[in-house]
Amino acid sequence: MSRTVLVTGSSRGLGASIVKVLAQQGFKVVINYYKSESAAAELVSEIGKENAIAIRADVTNRKEVDVLVKKATEYFGRIDVVVNNALVDFKFDPTKQKSFTELTWDDYQKQLNGTLKAAFNVVQSVIPQFIERQNGGIISIGTNLYQNPVVPYHEYTTAKAGLIGFTRNIASELGQYGIRANVVSGGLLKTTDASAVTTPEVFDFIAQSTPLKKVTTPEDVANMVAYLCSKNADGITGQNFIVDGGLTMN
């Protein structure tokens, strides 16, 4: 049986790239969206209804997440892996990013809710079926800015850094049930909706700073996510995989 993967925030941007790569590799996909209904429907049409379904839900709302998980499970019979990808109201614009002295706690709270609260909701909602089957995968999308803040996107980076602690605690506690949890941290992606306003100068600087002399693409990250969704990665948990052309080395 092919695995079913729920990808949050996957109607466009990196999420859409992840969904397409997963579908190409034989996974069934659950496309979660909040506002972009037409884009989600277009993806389903492209992939085919036998292998894809689009379900609207605000992942910061637990009740809506429970409905999302229920509908997806009823449609495909199970969920095998969840990918916490949703990004709430953030643009990678170095010219408009607030300095630390200009930020408010509300700015931080918005990103904490969109990243950590959303992941918490999704994981808690799906975990009973993972425990019952003694198998499941959790993948969260992080950022290499946690280790290399080329541009100080304070609130975004802080929220994403929290995902690593969140993930490693889950991996430690739930590994006994065959549940794996990992983070995939991309570099600045060329190009997604969130990075569309990034200046060419920033992209060029990053490209020249990497050993591969290239900027990371959404497909680069999607391919790592697909690997972690596969049975080939069933022995891997608690890790933070950085996909950024070697800009950040562990």
Side-chain angles (χ1 to χ4, degrees), residues 6 17 40 49 51 71 80 92 110 117 119 139 147 162 164 175 182 187 196 223 243-244:
L6 163 61
S17 294
K49 291 184 178 180
N51 293 313
K71 286 182 177 179
D80 297 289
F92 298 101
K110 179 183 292 185
K117 185 179 181 181
I139 302 167
Q147 290 168 284
I164 295 176
N182 295 286
N223 283 323
V243 183
D244 68 355

Side-chain angles (χ1 to χ4, degrees), residues 35-97:
K35 295 179 180 177
S36 304
E37 181 177 5
S38 60
E42 188 174 324
L43 271 176
V44 172
S45 178
E46 179 181 336
I47 296 167
K49 291 184 178 180
E50 68 278 9
N51 293 313
I53 184 176
I55 305 174
R56 183 194 178 281
D58 174 1
V59 287
T60 66
N61 184 310
R62 178 57 185 272
K63 290 183 179 179
E64 292 190 20
V65 169
D66 287 343
V67 172
L68 163 66
V69 169
K70 184 174 184 292
K71 286 182 177 179
T73 303
E74 289 174 348
Y75 192 83
F76 286 121
R78 60 196 286 168
I79 296 172
D80 297 289
V81 184
V82 294
V83 180
N84 295 308
N85 167 75
L87 177 63
V88 177
D89 295 333
F90 193 83
K91 298 290 184 184
F92 298 101
D93 187 343
T95 64
K96 293 184 179 179
Q97 169 64 27

